[in-house]
Amino acid sequence: MFKRILLGSAVLVAMTGAALAGEQYVDETGFAISGYDAVAYFNLPQKDVGMDQPHAVPGRADITADYNGATWAFASEENRDMFMADPAKYAPKYDGHCAFGVAKGGKVPANPNLWRIVDGELYLNITPAVVGFWTTDISGNINTAEGNWSGLESKAASAKSWMAITDNDGTYDMAAPIK
């Protein structure tokens, strides 16, 4: 009987650990993805590698949902409902941290306007220069990031602001979410 209880407890702990994601990157806005709408990325026209992507769509402070320990803002109730039906489909990889940073072994902030969808997954990066490095070998960088993520995921989220980096000047029109 003791063995079954011990085995059952071990299975429960393993399942619980697998279900928990790491800490979501939340900047000074207090929102995941700096208050931009995670679902809206999937409706934006993605540009070819080397071209600037369209800016992210600001969410609204009155249309929100909680997921992965963070508050997410959405441009519409429909987008919020789509997100809540399958949050893993829309949430950016690496808990919203920079994809290239994860490939290089660290958790650094991500600029929500420096994005790319690859094989149905949303990836964010920190600065335009980093986007250039990341896009030289997107699949290789994703493979490296995936290998690094298991060792990084449980570490604390970045506490830095992507808007404080001068290389990001001009990459955004306004802070989100819309009040």
Side-chain angles (χ1 to χ4, degrees), residues 27-96:
D27 64 10
E28 64 273 16
T29 66
F31 289 87
I33 319 179
S34 304
Y36 289 86
D37 185 330
V39 174
Y41 287 99
F42 293 85
N43 294 317
L44 292 172
Q46 183 163 246
K47 302 288 183 143
D48 291 336
V49 171
M51 298 179 70
D52 291 343
Q53 297 286 43
H55 282 193
V57 175
R60 290 182 26 189
D62 62 334
I63 304 176
T64 64
D66 292 329
Y67 170 71
N68 194 26
T71 301
W72 301 67
F74 301 92
S76 69
E77 291 178 6
E78 178 184 11
N79 281 8
R80 180 196 55 210
D81 295 346
M82 288 173 63
F83 181 85
M84 290 311 297
D86 191 359
K89 176 180 178 178
Y90 298 106
K93 292 290 285 184
Y94 316 123
D95 297 329

Side-chain angles (χ1 to χ4, degrees), residues 10-168:
V11 169
L12 182 61
V13 168
M15 287 173 45
T16 303
L20 294 177
E23 192 177 333
Q24 189 70 40
Y25 172 63
V26 175
D27 64 10
E28 64 273 16
T29 66
F31 289 87
I33 319 179
S34 304
Y36 289 86
D37 185 330
V39 174
Y41 287 99
F42 293 85
N43 294 317
L44 292 172
Q46 183 163 246
K47 302 288 183 143
D48 291 336
V49 171
M51 298 179 70
D52 291 343
Q53 297 286 43
H55 282 193
V57 175
R60 290 182 26 189
D62 62 334
I63 304 176
T64 64
D66 292 329
Y67 170 71
N68 194 26
T71 301
W72 301 67
F74 301 92
S76 69
E77 291 178 6
E78 178 184 11
N79 281 8
R80 180 196 55 210
D81 295 346
M82 288 173 63
F83 181 85
M84 290 311 297
D86 191 359
K89 176 180 178 178
Y90 298 106
K93 292 290 285 184
Y94 316 123
D95 297 329
H97 290 87
C98 172
F100 190 73
V102 173
K104 291 300 179 189
K107 277 186 167 181
V108 296
N111 179 332
N113 288 307
L114 302 176
W115 61 275
R116 178 156 297 281
I117 296 172
V118 179
D119 296 330
E121 300 278 358
L122 174 61
Y123 295 89
L124 304 174
N125 280 289
I126 188 170
T127 65
V130 167
V131 169
F133 297 129
W134 190 70
T135 58
T136 61
D137 184 9
I138 293 172
S139 62
N141 284 315
I142 290 172
N143 286 336
T144 302
E146 288 296 313
N148 290 342
W149 187 237
S150 63
L152 293 173
E153 187 172 10
S154 64
K155 295 185 184 306
S158 176
K160 296 181 179 174
S161 170
W162 63 270
M163 286 188 271
I165 301 169
T166 56
D167 195 27
N168 281 321

